[in-house]
Amino acid sequence: MSDLLKGRLKDQLRDRLKSRREDHLETRARDLDAADGLAGHRERFALDADTVYLDGNSLGALPAHVPARMADVITREWGELRIRSWDESGWWTAPERIGERIAPIVGAGPGQLVVGDSTSVNVFKAVVAAARLAGDGRDEILVDATTFPTDGYIARSAARMTGHRIVPSTRPRWRRRRARARPPRSSTTWTTAAAGSTTCRASRPPCTRRARSPSGTSATARAPCPSAWTRTGSTWPSAARTST
């Protein structure tokens, strides 16, 4: 059998296996969709039969009932009832009523959630309120440097309004303060009675021990300093003292 024929047979076999694998995956996916208890909710949205829509985080698919509902709000509630819709159509209580429906989804209790404005407007109001509630001397608004750009714009606008300044951050503030408050590490020599056969340099145990063998080779390991060792350069009693 020639190499050319072998190559063709190999390609055909690979194509068949790939086709069978794809058919198996498609069948498996359809079976999972059919058994999914939420599969019927797809019919509630305006989606093409062959569309797999995964961009809901940016713009959700249009609920199928929304066009008719919006037409009713515009033509009847606004066009016919006009100002009476604040009471007769429930406009006045809509923020609390809708909030009660969303509350179980986000883990809020009754009367704890109110719906109003857009996400960006609510974030702006929350930042401004927090800045105005801050005590004297707290003039910074800490913003994650990798945050979504819109959130950064909102924070800067709130800072201009309240006289605060923006401080970008890439790690928790308490870690930076802790790192600044930490004293510099000192180098302390630990020695055993074996006159420098093993030494350790560190500010506190556990520390690095360097041992030298008779052949002249050395090894380093992390381990707590033995209690038999003495600390050089301190007021502790020591059997042997060396320089640090």
Side-chain angles (χ1 to χ4, degrees), residues 188-200 226 228-232 238-242:
T188 304
T189 300
W190 299 75
T191 183
T192 61
S197 59
T198 305
T199 60
C200 166
W229 293 13
T230 59
R231 183 176 179 178
T232 302
S238 64
R241 305 187 68 85
T242 62

Side-chain angles (χ1 to χ4, degrees), residues 170-191:
T170 57
R171 59 175 176 168
R173 190 69 179 273
W174 67 269
R175 290 187 179 179
R176 298 206 307 271
R177 290 178 176 175
R178 183 179 176 183
R180 287 197 299 267
R182 182 181 299 171
R185 292 179 62 89
S186 60
S187 178
T188 304
T189 300
W190 299 75
T191 183

